[in-house]
Amino acid sequence: MLKKSHIRKGEQGAAYIFIIVMMGALVAFLVPAFSTFSLSDLRSAERQKYRTQAYFVARAGAEALSQFIINTPLRASEIIDKGVSAPVYFGEGHFQVQAFRQEENDRTRIIVHSEGNVKEVIQSTRVVLVEQEQPTSLPGPLPEFDLAVFSNSNFNLGGSSQIVGSAGTNSVVDNSVVFGWSTQVEGNFYVGPGALFANVISKPRHRNIGNIITGSRGNLAAIRNYSMPVFPEFPDLPGRVDFVTDWVPGENYSIDQDGSYELIRVTGNRRLRVDVGDGDRRLRVRNLDISQGHIELIGKGKLFLYVEESFNLGGDSTVNHTGVPGDVIMFYRGSARLRPAGNTRFVGSIFAEKANIDIRGSAGITGHIITGGSEVTVTGDVTANVRVLYAPQATVSLTGSAMVRGAIVSNIFNATGAASVIYDQSIASSFPELVDELGEKEISYHVEMWMAGTLRE
């Protein structure tokens, strides 16, 4: 072993210099390496962030499409097996979705596939829905009709329009409920769960909200889902020749048997008497034209009208004018807009599968109106004792001096001019009776499972 005293000072200095040079070389080697590791870690963290974001974007798309299928089963065929959607931008990325059927073990499943893309990092996820037959015409319990007006989203009250009764909306979006200067709600008003009431409401700057809404203000306890009843299959009935009210001696026009018609036309201010007896009378007709005439019921039963293509009610025509709403139920399968106008009166319920509805002039309807259409307009000096105007997928607009007595369920609600809605509690017992007539089975969809996401870069 060398002792310190044996190393000359020159040699000792050279050793220190060697060590310093070696340490410098080592540092010079390690710094880029550490930098590489650091940059790699940063890139990995960034990729993980995009991967997480892309997954939640994909999940948002899968949830949105799944809820559409579950909430609107009658429209599910519009998107199932129709290919991949266009990109839908969401947050910092976008998603694309598709739905397709898969048959397995005698059961039909709907696969909802969604891909989320954030900065070209792609995650996908799937929801598996199972088709089920339900024994009732409305999925789950019957909806509540405790509000004069309900909208799923926007709610606009303008002009001097008013609502006599409580109202509400699922919306939690800022300024999605608009009140005009002279409007009023004589009851409570509710916005969506968790929303700040003052943010959702937009009102005239100098008008106190307490002068617009006379009752309490708050939030719905939970989101309300109003589903469409199942539109019934039309019955096969014996074929009949066209029925028209051309002049005949005695002007006796009557139908006393079930039947299927290409045309029933009531004109000349004549009266068609339908003998329903003590049971039900079912008439299936391609085109029902009551341009100026009247349909009356004889007996204690009900009249079921199944209209395939067109329904015309004009002039001073009436249907069941002296009867009660539960005696007539009309199912309308056509796509042309329903336009009862003039001074017409229809006492009964109307269920339109997909048609928009336009009630004008001095027309009056006493009974339920149900439609799967996207627009319902009530305008002019109209009095609609509708009990329930049930249009959960539609924009319902009231203009002029239109008055609706009953309850309205809409996607978007608009009222202007001197329009009014007056809540009528008599609806509670009559709507279930109508629903019971709509058929015994329906297809609904329920989430069976979520499937894990996968990464594609």
Side-chain angles (χ1 to χ4, degrees), residues 406-418:
I408 295 175
V409 174
S410 63
N411 181 38
I412 296 172
F413 177 76
N414 298 314
T416 59

Side-chain angles (χ1 to χ4, degrees), residues 375-379 394-399 402 410 412-416 419:
E375 293 179 9
V376 176
T377 302
V378 185
T379 186
T395 297
V396 176
S397 301
L398 276 58
T399 64
S410 63
I412 296 172
F413 177 76
N414 298 314
T416 59

Side-chain angles (χ1 to χ4, degrees), residues 85-401:
S85 73
V88 178
Y89 290 89
F90 184 86
E92 296 185 10
H94 65 267
F95 61 77
Q96 290 180 272
V97 292
Q98 64 175 319
F100 53 91
R101 283 185 173 82
Q102 186 179 82
E103 303 292 338
E104 184 178 340
N105 298 327
D106 296 327
R107 300 187 72 184
T108 300
R109 288 173 170 80
I110 306 299
I111 311 299
V112 176
H113 178 83
S114 176
E115 284 194 352
N117 186 323
V118 176
K119 305 294 185 182
E120 302 306 318
V121 175
I122 299 174
Q123 279 273 20
S124 68
T125 190
R126 287 185 171 189
V127 183
V128 180
L129 306 178
V130 60
E131 276 189 1
Q132 290 186 348
E133 281 191 340
Q134 299 296 318
T136 59
S137 293
L138 282 173
L142 288 171
E144 294 182 84
F145 298 123
D146 55 345
L147 302 175
V149 179
F150 173 82
S151 73
N152 184 53
S153 55
N154 290 43
F155 193 112
N156 303 295
L157 209 59
S160 59
S161 56
Q162 65 172 336
I163 297 172
V164 181
S166 298
T169 175
N170 275 337
S171 182
V172 298
V173 178
D174 289 358
N175 301 315
S176 56
V177 176
V178 179
F179 293 119
W181 184 265
S182 300
T183 60
Q184 191 168 61
V185 176
E186 296 182 16
N188 306 328
F189 198 94
Y190 306 95
V191 298
L196 188 62
F197 191 92
N199 289 351
V200 177
I201 301 296
S202 175
K203 64 176 182 62
R205 184 175 179 183
H206 299 295
R207 192 169 182 212
N208 190 304
I209 190 66
N211 293 329
I212 299 175
I213 301 170
T214 63
S216 63
R217 305 180 293 275
N219 299 84
L220 294 173
I223 290 291
R224 292 193 175 192
N225 293 311
Y226 289 92
S227 301
M228 280 298 298
V230 174
F231 193 79
E233 294 292 330
F234 282 13
D236 291 326
L237 300 172
R240 309 291 184 191
V241 298
D242 292 351
F243 189 100
V244 297
T245 57
D246 295 337
W247 185 87
V248 295
E251 295 193 6
N252 180 26
Y253 309 94
S254 64
I255 294 177
D256 59 5
Q257 293 180 311
D258 293 353
S260 180
Y261 297 81
E262 285 292 313
L263 172 67
I264 293 179
R265 174 175 291 143
V266 186
T267 59
N269 209 33
R270 298 184 174 100
R271 298 181 183 276
L272 167 60
R273 295 173 176 84
V274 179
D275 189 347
V276 297
D278 293 329
D280 297 330
R281 179 68 60 232
R282 301 180 185 273
L283 303 178
R284 179 173 177 173
V285 55
R286 185 170 300 279
N287 300 292
L288 178 58
D289 179 16
I290 316 171
S291 54
Q292 182 55 56
H294 312 276
I295 293 181
E296 297 178 351
L297 271 59
I298 301 173
K300 298 179 181 180
K302 295 182 180 181
L303 171 61
F304 290 86
L305 292 169
Y306 300 88
V307 182
E308 298 192 35
E309 289 189 3
S310 67
F311 172 65
N312 177 35
L313 186 67
D316 297 317
S317 299
T318 63
V319 174
N320 192 35
H321 183 43
T322 59
V324 296
D327 288 346
V328 176
I329 300 174
M330 185 180 82
F331 301 104
Y332 177 64
R333 193 158 62 185
S335 57
R337 186 182 294 261
L338 288 177
R339 296 177 181 271
N343 193 34
T344 58
R345 294 291 182 268
F346 188 102
V347 180
S349 294
I350 298 174
F351 184 5
E353 180 183 28
K354 56 193 174 186
N356 296 331
I357 298 176
D358 193 359
I359 306 172
R360 294 179 174 271
S362 300
I365 295 179
T366 301
H368 300 301
I369 298 175
I370 304 174
T371 180
S374 60
E375 293 179 9
V376 176
T377 302
V378 185
T379 186
D381 186 21
V382 175
T383 300
N385 296 302
V386 299
R387 301 301 189 266
V388 178
L389 197 169
Y390 192 80
Q393 299 168 175
T395 297
V396 176
S397 301
L398 276 58
T399 64
S401 55

